[in-house]
Amino acid sequence: SPAKRAGWANNLAVAFGCAGDREAACERAQEAVELYHQLAAQLPEAFQAGLAMSLNNLANGLSDLGQHEAACERGHEAVELRRQLAAQWPEVFQADLATSLNNLAAMLSALGQHKAACERTQEAVELRHQLAAQRPEVFQADLAMSLNNLAAMLSALGQHEAACERAQEAVERYRQLAAQRPEVFQADLAVSLTNLAKMLSDLGQHEAACERAQEAVERYRQLAAQRPEVFQADLATSLNTLANMLSELGQR
């Protein structure tokens, strides 16, 4: 049936993406979108969610292929569909809307549309704040990621104080997560500490920046000791960042 074909096409798109075959993933995602478009035209209440999911997957696939404008168009369409669904059933589709907004923001940023990207990320952060307040064990990590993204986008727009606040919040949330599950979130904490250090440095708060950079180095040391093939390069980069910040403090 068309519904089963659409579901299988979508699953294949994800599977090809995981296998690194981006072109095949994109082809299957396009097939899923076309099938779900037909189904949603006949029974929107049954198939609109599937269409939104397949559009989201197609947007990500196009982005991976460097087709950023086409990706952005599909990403916008996914957001609009999920906005409608979240308006009707927020408890079911609010998380999906936040995911699509986050993805769209990355695609807008790739096109150089930094202000629009920042607005979409801000909206994702607000939604994830609500979700994390209700179910922190499920949505805390997503919120931390969106905060980290928002901080980077605000920094790119020259809004350094606001960027620093969001980065600080991301660090605090990742710190809580890493305390509970270090094997999962230690690397995310190290990344967010490095980002915060750079933003503090941009504000001229060099001592505080140096402290955060030092903590990032220590976290990467632990990670590189366990998995050198994955984290040794990150450790080298964070050491370089720390060296630059020590130099700014005159600790040559």
Side-chain angles (χ1 to χ4, degrees):
S1 69
K4 286 186 178 180
R5 285 170 54 209
W8 277 110
N10 208 58
N11 292 345
L12 276 170
V14 174
F16 277 124
C18 291
D21 192 340
R22 295 176 177 178
E23 290 189 3
C26 221
E27 288 172 6
R28 294 293 76 76
Q30 181 63 55
E31 184 182 351
V33 164
E34 290 167 3
L35 288 164
Y36 274 124
H37 259 301
Q38 296 168 25
L39 291 161
Q42 298 163 15
L43 277 168
E45 68 282 1
F47 294 108
Q48 203 165 29
L51 174 57
M53 176 181 61
S54 62
L55 281 164
N56 200 67
N57 291 345
L58 177 58
N60 289 336
L62 289 164
S63 182
D64 288 340
L65 288 174
Q67 299 180 33
H68 299 300
E69 289 189 7
C72 224
E73 289 173 7
R74 299 294 80 77
H76 271 295
E77 197 175 342
V79 163
E80 290 313 309
L81 281 173
R82 283 181 164 169
R83 208 186 287 287
Q84 293 170 30
L85 291 162
Q88 297 169 42
W89 300 286
E91 69 284 356
V92 179
F93 292 108
Q94 206 166 32
D96 291 332
L97 173 57
T99 298
S100 284
L101 284 163
N102 211 63
N103 292 345
L104 177 58
M107 293 162 195
L108 288 164
S109 187
L111 286 173
Q113 299 181 32
H114 300 298
K115 187 177 178 183
C118 205
E119 289 170 0
R120 297 294 79 75
T121 307
Q122 180 65 57
E123 191 177 351
V125 164
E126 289 166 6
L127 286 170
R128 285 176 167 169
H129 261 297
Q130 296 170 29
L131 292 161
Q134 297 161 15
R135 298 181 66 192
E137 73 285 357
V138 177
F139 295 109
Q140 182 97 305
D142 290 334
L143 174 56
M145 178 187 65
S146 285
L147 283 163
N148 219 42
N149 292 346
L150 180 58
M153 290 176 183
L154 287 165
S155 181
L157 288 171
Q159 300 181 35
H160 299 299
E161 289 189 8
C164 214
E165 289 172 7
R166 297 294 80 75
Q168 182 64 56
E169 190 179 349
V171 164
E172 289 165 6
R173 291 185 181 273
Y174 274 129
R175 210 184 284 286
Q176 294 170 24
L177 290 161
Q180 297 163 12
R181 298 181 66 192
E183 72 286 356
V184 178
F185 294 108
Q186 183 97 304
D188 291 321
L189 175 56
V191 170
S192 63
L193 282 163
T194 300
N195 292 344
L196 177 58
K198 290 174 181 175
M199 290 166 195
L200 287 164
S201 184
D202 289 338
L203 286 172
Q205 300 181 33
H206 299 299
E207 288 189 8
C210 218
E211 289 173 6
R212 297 294 81 76
Q214 181 66 58
E215 188 179 351
V217 164
E218 290 164 6
R219 302 266 175 185
Y220 276 126
R221 267 194 218 283
Q222 295 169 25
L223 290 162
Q226 297 163 14
R227 298 181 66 191
E229 73 285 357
V230 178
F231 293 108
Q232 206 162 33
D234 292 324
L235 173 58
T237 300
S238 66
L239 282 163
N240 205 57
T241 300
L242 176 59
N244 291 334
M245 292 177 180
L246 288 164
S247 182
E248 288 172 351
L249 283 173
Q251 299 183 32
R252 304 191 186 282

